[in-house]
Amino acid sequence: MTDTPTQLYLVRHGSTELNEAGILQGNSPANLSGVGRRQIRGVAAWLAQRDDIAAIYSSDMNRAVQSAQIIADAVNLPVTTTLELRERDYGPYDGLALEAVKTTRTQNGFPTVDPFHDWHGVTGVESDTAVYERFRAFVQPLIQQHTGKGIVIVTHSGVIQGFLYGTYHIPPERLFAFRIERGGLFHFVQQREFLEMRAYYPGATIFLNE
């Protein structure tokens, strides 16, 4: 066994035109915008300086795959896609603009303090617990498989949020605990049975010297 800890680099895909239009895109086949590509080039430039990356996994949705491929080109590794990393299922809210989400939530008796991120108890939407369990079941074997190496996972804000809340036992009613920016990168290190967050880089264009 190696004493070198496993590194997990958790990346939110870059921005899309639907993001920029304020639409909850969920499972739509949205593509990266020019802004989104620039954001992910920043992530890729930073990851290319690491010497521990052994694998790249991505949601099978366009915006995530496109983000993962930019990273893959920079670190010279293939991308493995999976539906297990897909965005949270937003049910009847998928594809709605912000105001329509607020209206629908109000009509159904749900709060609108943080309408794109607080889905605790909202009927018809994949729960934080379900998202967490889905992600955990996928990532745990990877950590064992790539012991002592780095793993890049490209996914979506709802998945990252569910993972963070579940991992750090944050009460679901605790709003605004994390703000997960497009093109953001979380760096975790496996410490025994616990993932320690080493750093969070919101808006990874900070890595680009342009």
Side-chain angles (χ1 to χ4, degrees):
M1 290 184 64
T2 178
D3 293 329
T4 304
T6 305
Q7 314 284 324
L8 177 64
Y9 305 101
L10 187 55
V11 180
R12 183 185 177 190
H13 64 80
S15 186
T16 71
E17 291 185 358
L18 290 182
N19 284 142
E20 293 155 21
I23 294 171
L24 187 65
Q25 59 194 330
N27 288 319
S28 70
N31 296 315
L32 290 182
S33 67
V35 171
R37 290 185 178 278
R38 184 171 184 275
Q39 289 169 333
I40 297 301
R41 287 201 303 273
V43 175
W46 187 83
L47 289 171
Q49 299 175 45
R50 307 287 304 185
D51 60 5
D52 58 355
I53 298 173
I56 303 171
Y57 297 88
S58 172
S59 157
D60 64 347
M61 309 200 70
N62 289 2
R63 57 196 184 272
V65 174
Q66 291 163 4
S67 299
Q69 192 58 56
I70 291 171
I71 296 169
D73 290 344
V75 302
N76 196 30
L77 284 172
V79 177
T80 300
T81 61
T82 174
L83 57 80
E84 296 303 320
L85 295 173
R86 279 191 173 190
E87 177 61 292
R88 181 198 300 269
D89 182 355
Y90 291 111
Y93 299 90
D94 200 335
L96 298 183
L98 177 59
E99 290 307 314
V101 170
K102 288 181 177 179
T103 298
T104 304
R105 289 175 65 115
T106 299
Q107 290 172 345
N108 292 331
F110 299 114
T112 59
V113 175
D114 192 14
F116 270 11
H117 302 97
D118 172 26
W119 298 100
H120 177 57
V122 177
T123 304
V125 177
E126 188 177 11
S127 70
D128 289 317
T129 299
V131 172
Y132 170 68
E133 293 297 341
R134 168 162 62 92
F135 183 88
R136 188 179 68 160
F138 178 78
V139 78
Q140 279 187 328
L142 296 185
I143 291 174
Q144 298 301 318
Q145 179 183 343
H146 300 290
T147 299
K149 299 294 185 179
I151 309 165
V152 176
I153 293 182
V154 183
T155 185
H156 307 267
S157 62
V159 176
I160 297 172
Q161 177 180 309
F163 167 67
L164 292 172
Y165 271 65
T167 297
Y168 298 110
H169 306 289
I170 298 169
E173 64 273 12
R174 167 69 169 87
L175 302 182
F176 308 112
F178 296 99
R179 194 51 91 194
I180 303 160
E181 303 292 342
R182 301 160 203 153
L185 183 152
F186 291 84
H187 178 196
F188 299 89
V189 176
Q190 178 75 12
Q191 300 288 5
R192 295 183 176 86
E193 300 301 317
F194 186 73
L195 278 172
E196 174 189 298
M197 190 190 299
R198 268 302 154 80
Y200 170 48
Y201 303 97
T205 49
I206 61 173
F207 300 135
L208 284 178
N209 296 316
E210 58 177 78

